[in-house]
Amino acid sequence: MTIRNALLVDDSKVARFTLSKLLKSSNLEVAMAGSAEEALDLLSNSDRPDVIFMDHLMPGMNGIEAARAIRNNPATADIPIVMCTSGKSPEFEEKALQMGITEILSKPPARDGVTRVLEKLAAMPVAEPRQPGPAESVEPANDPDIPLLTADQVAMAARAEVKSQISEQLHERLTQLFDEQISYLRHDLGEQGGLHTSLLNDKLDALEAILDNHHKTLQEAVTREVGRQLEQALAVVRRDLLASTQQLLTERLDELTRQAESRREADLEMWQTLQADTLVQASEAARQQAEQIARHLDELASNRRRKGSRALWTGGLIISVSALLAGTAWLSGWLG
């Protein structure tokens, strides 16, 4: 079915204004009523809407009672009714569907909820309005719970109609003024925003220059302070390193001195031992050589005696003894 116009029934002006804005944004023509009684009067005296958005709790006749009256009227029985309520629950939904409610919309309404309801209504098949026969009355007389309208109720409905027309005109005028004020505010905000942006950029540039200057000053101060602290730290490290180096050199020199003394004593002891061993070996070698020379001289003496040459024997002996003494003196000088 095609949804072109809607009847909005709610005792709250704020709720009517909010929901009407959402419906009009969906290209719907919206008529409004501030009570269930006013809505029933509109339905009997004006063109029928394609859908009715009915508030649940209202003074006087509530939304459920108004929906029952609409369903009991053959001229309005096929109009879809959307119940607007803040007390949505599974029990209420079941009861509302049993009373002829087509769909339930949560309050406060949201754009996606209104769109969902309208799409569901648009997908429904078109229901032909049932015309009352000669024996049928337009009044909901077949429902004993709904009484006939009295003169006071008719007068109240008339006053409600006047109030509805005035409210509709006020609503349109307020909407127009609201849109104009919003347009003006947006324009002013745009200009003010540009001016503020320019001023803000100037302030930011000045602040950036100040920060750069402070940064350079701070950097120089930090550099000087760090350099001073590094010099102090290096001086302390240099002093400690020098003291440690001197102490280490002193300890190392003492150790080397002790090692040299120990080495010198060991070398001296070894040299004395070697000298003593060499003297012993030289004495032994001289003794052995002297014995050999003596045996040789004995042999020569024997031979010379045999030959009768005593003078030659004596000269050889002198020469051998001289050689022995010379060798002993040389060996003593080499060892000394």
Side-chain angles (χ1 to χ4, degrees):
M1 62 181 299
T2 303
I3 307 297
R4 296 188 180 89
N5 52 72
L7 174 60
L8 174 56
V9 185
D10 201 312
D11 63 311
S12 172
K13 294 181 180 180
V14 176
R16 292 201 303 270
F17 176 77
T18 303
L19 184 54
S20 65
K21 291 288 289 183
L22 295 176
L23 295 176
K24 288 180 179 180
S25 66
S26 299
N27 299 322
L28 266 69
E29 296 181 1
V30 181
M32 291 186 288
S35 64
E37 293 82 1
E38 182 182 352
L40 294 176
D41 184 67
L42 287 175
L43 289 174
S44 61
N45 296 310
S46 62
D47 295 335
R48 50 177 277 143
D50 295 327
V51 62
I52 300 174
F53 287 85
M54 182 75 68
D55 185 25
H56 177 205
L57 300 176
M58 294 182 292
M61 183 182 294
N62 60 32
I64 296 296
E65 294 172 346
R68 185 186 296 114
I70 294 171
R71 289 290 178 256
N72 287 332
N73 187 350
T76 59
D78 60 333
I79 300 176
I81 301 176
V82 178
M83 183 64 67
C84 302
T85 178
S86 58
K88 188 176 180 181
S89 64
E91 294 79 7
F92 175 77
E93 290 184 8
E94 182 178 359
K95 181 179 179 181
L97 294 176
Q98 291 176 358
M99 299 302 295
I101 302 301
T102 307
E103 188 65 26
I104 297 176
L105 180 64
S106 298
K107 293 180 66 176
R111 183 175 297 276
D112 55 350
V114 174
T115 302
R116 176 184 58 80
V117 170
L118 293 178
E119 290 176 352
K120 185 174 182 179
L121 293 175
M124 295 174 59
V126 179
E128 295 294 336
R130 187 165 61 92
Q131 299 295 333
E136 294 178 338
S137 175
V138 178
E139 300 294 336
N142 53 350
D143 190 346
D145 294 334
I146 301 177
L148 296 176
L149 296 178
T150 63
D152 293 337
Q153 291 175 338
V154 172
M156 183 177 64
R159 288 194 298 270
E161 175 66 19
V162 174
K163 290 170 59 179
S164 175
Q165 294 296 330
I166 295 174
S167 298
E168 181 69 19
Q169 294 178 3
L170 287 175
H171 171 70
E172 293 178 359
R173 183 56 180 167
L174 288 174
T175 302
Q176 183 180 1
L177 291 174
F178 180 77
D179 294 337
E180 292 177 356
Q181 292 297 325
I182 288 295
S183 177
Y184 291 149
L185 287 175
R186 287 178 178 173
H187 183 266
D188 293 339
L189 286 175
E191 294 181 352
Q192 293 294 328
L195 180 60
H196 290 167
T197 301
S198 178
L199 292 175
L200 182 61
N201 290 331
D202 294 339
K203 293 291 185 182
L204 288 176
D205 292 338
L207 181 60
E208 185 177 0
I210 294 173
L211 288 177
D212 289 339
N213 188 16
H214 283 297
H215 177 71
K216 292 179 181 178
T217 304
L218 182 62
Q219 186 176 6
E220 293 176 357
V222 170
T223 302
R224 289 194 299 270
E225 182 65 22
V226 170
R228 187 180 62 81
Q229 292 183 1
L230 284 176
E231 289 178 358
Q232 294 178 355
L234 287 175
V236 173
V237 171
R238 189 182 296 110
R239 185 172 61 252
D240 295 341
L241 183 60
L242 182 60
S244 299
T245 303
Q246 290 178 351
Q247 182 179 1
L248 181 62
L249 288 176
T250 303
E251 294 177 356
R252 184 61 178 170
L253 183 61
D254 293 340
E255 183 179 358
L256 290 176
T257 302
R258 289 193 298 271
Q259 291 180 358
E261 290 291 336
S262 177
R263 183 69 178 177
R264 189 178 65 81
E265 292 176 358
D267 291 342
L268 180 60
E269 182 180 358
M270 182 185 67
W271 178 253
Q272 291 177 353
T273 303
L274 180 61
Q275 185 177 6
D277 293 340
T278 303
L279 289 176
V280 171
Q281 292 177 1
S283 300
E284 183 66 23
R287 186 183 61 76
Q288 292 177 0
Q289 188 175 8
E291 290 177 355
Q292 290 178 359
I293 291 173
R295 286 195 299 270
H296 181 67
L297 289 177
D298 290 338
E299 291 177 358
L300 288 177
S302 298
N303 292 330
R304 288 182 178 181
R305 281 194 302 269
R306 283 193 300 268
K307 292 179 180 179
S309 177
R310 187 173 180 80
L312 184 61
W313 179 84
T314 304
L317 180 60
I318 293 171
I319 292 171
S320 298
V321 172
S322 298
L324 178 61
L325 292 175
T328 303
W330 177 83
L331 183 60
S332 298
W334 179 74
L335 294 175

